[in-house]
Amino acid sequence: EAGVTQFPSHSVIEKGQTVTLRCDPISGHDNLYWYRRVMGKEIKFLLHFVKESKQDESGMPNNRFLAERTGGTYSTLKVQPAELEDSGVYFCASSQVITSPLHFGNGTRLTVT
Amino acid sequence: DQQVKQNSPSLSVQEGRISILNCDYTNSMFDYFLWYKKYPAEGPTFLISISSIKDKNEDGRFTVFLNKSAKHLSLHIVPSQPGDSAVYFCAASDSGGGADGLTFGKGTHLIIQP
């Protein structure tokens, strides 16, 4: 089975620009999560989709971040406008049911200069 | 305020010996704990988990111990192998056995020396 895929693997943008990250979960996984790891720190939860609905978005830092999952398949995470502190690795994860361990993608490394 | 703490940023162990990775938590509502392993440029990979109703879970070379009164868990790897060199993240959940909205520690970089 194909794993969780994320695109792009790296993105370097200037402060004030917009970036959109994409995540394709494992087929059939209703639960999709976004996490972020800022340099040297813990991996932090951003939000959780169940199909196309946002189940929990308590970890979203501010309204510059917008996540969508139209049709309950792939998801996008848009940062607009990007700030320096948004730099980090953004991980997507999915699970078939909420009690299953998460399968993570390889992450998108975002650098804001 | 960190709710899951891994106080050792790195740990070096000789091949064949036991590796013990520690994790402390502060939130008494956590009831499900997981360990993830991460290689460079890859996402975390699930390793082993334990529910708060247990104090030990074993899977091959990997054993997780949970001490609820001390709010402490540990991962034992025995015998340690070169392929075990990676960053290990402890994670916790308060969703009744689910993996919803995990809280992670900062990770411990395990280095297995030949």
Side-chain angles (χ1 to χ4, degrees), chain A:
Chain A
E1 114 190 313
V4 176
T5 56
Q6 292 186 245
F7 182 82
S9 56
H10 292 84
S11 180
V12 181
I13 61 171
E14 291 183 355
K15 176 182 171 180
Q17 289 186 319
T18 297
V19 63
T20 300
L21 314 181
R22 173 170 170 144
C23 168
D24 286 78
I26 293 172
S27 178
H29 282 196
D30 287 341
N31 295 280
L32 186 149
Y33 303 79
W34 283 98
Y35 283 83
R36 174 173 76 171
R37 188 183 190 204
V38 173
M39 177 75 73
K41 299 206 170 183
E42 64 271 27
I43 300 170
K44 281 200 168 181
F45 167 78
L46 296 178
L47 89 158
H48 170 208
F49 283 99
V50 178
K51 296 185 180 178
E52 67 275 8
S53 300
K54 290 176 185 172
Q55 180 78 7
D56 180 355
E57 51 184 330
S58 61
M60 294 288 263
N62 50 60
N63 59 11
R64 295 186 294 103
F65 289 75
L66 175 64
E68 294 180 323
R69 192 183 182 195
T70 308
T73 54
Y74 71 91
S75 174
T76 57
L77 179 64
K78 182 192 289 188
V79 185
Q80 179 183 30
E83 298 288 344
L84 298 178
E85 65 264 25
D86 300 333
S87 296
V89 181
Y90 289 77
F91 290 105
C92 176
S94 71
S95 67
Q96 191 167 25
V97 295
I98 204 165
T99 51
S100 303
L102 303 183
H103 296 263
F104 281 83
N106 287 341
T108 293
R109 180 174 294 279
L110 174 64
T111 303
V112 182
T113 63

